[in-house]
Amino acid sequence: MSQFEKDVKDGLSRSPKYLSSKYFYDKKGDELFVQIMNMPEYYLTRAEFEIFKEQTTEIIESLGVRPDSYFELVELGAGDGTKTKELLKVLVNQGFKFDYVPVDISSNALNQLQSSLKEEMEELSVKIRKGDYFEVLESLKFTNTPKVILFLGSNIGNLEDEQAHQFMNELAAVLNSGDKLLLGVDLIKAEEVVLPAYNDKAGITKAFNLNLLSRINNELDANFDIENFTHQPEYSETTGIAKSFLVSTKAQSVKINGSGTFEFKAGEKIHTEISRKYSDEIIVKITKNTKFRLQEKLQDSKGYFADYILVRD
Ligand code: AVI
């Protein structure tokens, strides 16, 4: 039984039911996420892009990199690199000596990024690495080259705080003293801004969430009737946690070949995603007792999003 099948079976047997958002990203899910980033309601990508475009000098200064000393710029989950290109352009133009190492599990995304970079910045040295973040970082660990890690887009927000803390520990373990982490996070803000970002009018986020059920149908030979489920986002300004659910609109049973039948009550929810929003306190909490020290915080003009720069002690 694949890990996907095990996780689906386990998650649907729980009460409340749960499916991990890490399974959103099949080919269709990747395409839908790109569309989400272009939705007027999804402010996160634009806010972080603004920081990269308008505060490039500040970013470079706080990363402490110098034109004459070689470093590796490693990006975890690089995607199409739109934000990073703003930083790369300036580093290349100012003659910095570095390799850009985008890491992604999708070789398709990496190849596309590599060819667009070749066209836009010929002189840039790009070393794509396909795989799981930690497998790749583990393999880079022994180089001793100074490193800057980029982890953008509030991707860390899709983890529970305890998992995020563990992630920071694991990251610290593969870095050397003085290495830097640029961590992009969405900030806690009013419900009126956050909820629409997870419930766009065009229905793309809804399709993104429902696509998980289609993926289960396709890959695990299940019979979810997508029409009988709907998308429901929730957000608490007090905790700063946004959650996405799929809600069964009627009593129904769903069969997954080889894994059994799962009963749904009318109105029963499947929790599919957490999108945590941050404050300084929460950043302090997830980095507490790790080897990371907070150095700088850069924000967009609306104060929606922050790029924190942390140093590995
Ligand atoms: C990838 N991640 C940071 C996105 C988020 O905002 O949590 C995924 C997403 N889910 C719904 N819309 C976007």
Side-chain angles (χ1 to χ4, degrees):
M1 197 185 273
S2 67
Q3 193 59 44
F4 178 41
E5 187 168 1
K6 271 189 214 145
D7 289 347
V8 168
K9 190 180 173 189
D10 172 59
L12 294 181
S13 307
R14 286 198 219 169
S15 178
K17 291 182 169 55
Y18 172 76
L19 292 170
S20 170
S21 63
K22 74 176 178 203
Y23 295 119
F24 280 163
Y25 302 91
D26 63 351
K27 191 167 178 291
K28 180 81 188 160
D30 283 344
E31 285 166 12
L32 288 166
F33 183 55
V34 170
Q35 288 185 48
I36 288 175
M37 291 193 286
N38 289 316
M39 286 296 109
E41 296 93 339
Y42 197 75
Y43 58 85
L44 289 81
T45 314
R46 279 187 305 279
E48 192 171 36
F49 180 77
E50 186 205 295
I51 301 174
F52 271 70
K53 193 169 172 55
E54 305 297 336
Q55 300 180 61
T56 330
T57 313
E58 288 83 348
I59 294 177
I60 295 171
E61 264 170 29
S62 48
L63 291 175
V65 288
R66 292 200 316 270
D68 53 352
S69 53
Y70 172 75
F71 63 96
E72 279 171 329
L73 182 65
V74 181
E75 179 164 10
L76 305 179
D80 69 357
T82 311
K83 293 170 270 194
T84 315
K85 281 177 184 172
E86 295 300 310
L87 174 63
L88 294 173
K89 271 188 268 177
V90 176
L91 289 171
V92 167
N93 288 339
Q94 295 185 0
F96 280 81
K97 293 189 197 65
F98 69 105
D99 288 329
Y100 173 52
V101 186
V103 181
D104 212 293
I105 27 171
S106 154
S107 38
N108 189 29
L110 285 172
N111 291 334
Q112 275 181 16
L113 177 61
Q114 192 173 34
S115 47
S116 77
L117 284 168
K118 192 150 186 55
E119 233 166 70
E120 292 167 46
M121 282 169 258
E122 255 241 85
E123 328 72 300
L124 176 69
S125 158
V126 183
K127 299 197 166 148
I128 56 170
R129 294 293 194 110
K130 181 192 170 335
D132 173 85
Y133 300 160
F134 286 105
E135 273 167 30
V136 173
L137 283 166
E138 193 67 32
S139 72
L140 296 172
K141 185 175 160 181
F142 307 102
T143 61
N144 259 335
T145 315
K147 287 180 193 58
V148 171
I149 310 293
L150 305 179
F151 193 39
L152 309 182
S154 210
N155 280 322
I156 195 165
N158 296 131
L159 301 177
E160 300 280 350
D161 290 351
E162 187 44 46
Q163 294 173 315
H165 173 74
Q166 202 183 324
F167 175 85
M168 297 299 285
N169 262 329
E170 287 173 34
L171 191 52
V174 292
L175 297 179
N176 294 311
S177 171
D179 287 346
K180 303 279 169 70
L181 166 66
L182 195 162
L183 181 67
V185 300
D186 195 14
L187 297 172
I188 295 179
K189 64 182 70 62
E191 189 181 307
E192 294 71 43
V193 181
V194 176
L195 268 183
Y198 293 90
N199 205 12
D200 60 277
K201 284 209 186 80
I204 310 295
T205 310
K206 177 181 178 186
F208 180 64
N209 200 5
L210 283 167
N211 179 57
L212 182 50
L213 302 183
S214 306
R215 183 175 183 185
I216 297 173
N217 281 350
N218 298 336
E219 293 182 26
L220 303 180
D221 189 17
N223 67 351
F224 275 103
D225 185 343
I226 312 299
E227 298 288 301
N228 294 339
F229 287 85
T230 190
H231 165 67
Q232 184 179 303
E234 294 178 8
Y235 174 65
S236 155
E237 215 172 302
T238 323
T239 60
I241 294 176
K243 287 182 180 173
S244 290
F245 297 90
L246 287 164
V247 185
S248 173
T249 53
K250 60 179 216 180
Q252 54 185 320
S253 48
V254 173
K255 198 168 164 241
I256 303 179
N257 236 342
S259 295
T261 303
F262 300 88
E263 301 296 334
F264 290 81
K265 298 188 192 79
E268 187 173 352
K269 300 197 283 189
I270 313 172
H271 177 209
T272 52
E273 189 180 43
I274 163 173
S275 298
R276 207 234 203 286
K277 311 300 167 200
Y278 292 83
S279 60
D280 291 352
E281 290 70 30
I282 295 157
I283 294 292
V284 167
K285 180 179 144 189
I286 64 163
T287 53
K288 202 172 173 189
N289 299 326
T290 69
K291 287 187 172 154
F292 281 111
R293 182 168 38 88
L294 254 178
Q295 183 186 299
E296 190 85 54
K297 179 188 187 185
L298 302 168
Q299 291 184 76
D300 66 298
S301 54
K302 288 184 176 151
Y304 280 179
F305 201 93
D307 281 304
Y308 284 91
I309 286 127
L310 300 111
V311 192
R312 160 71 160 78
D313 268 334

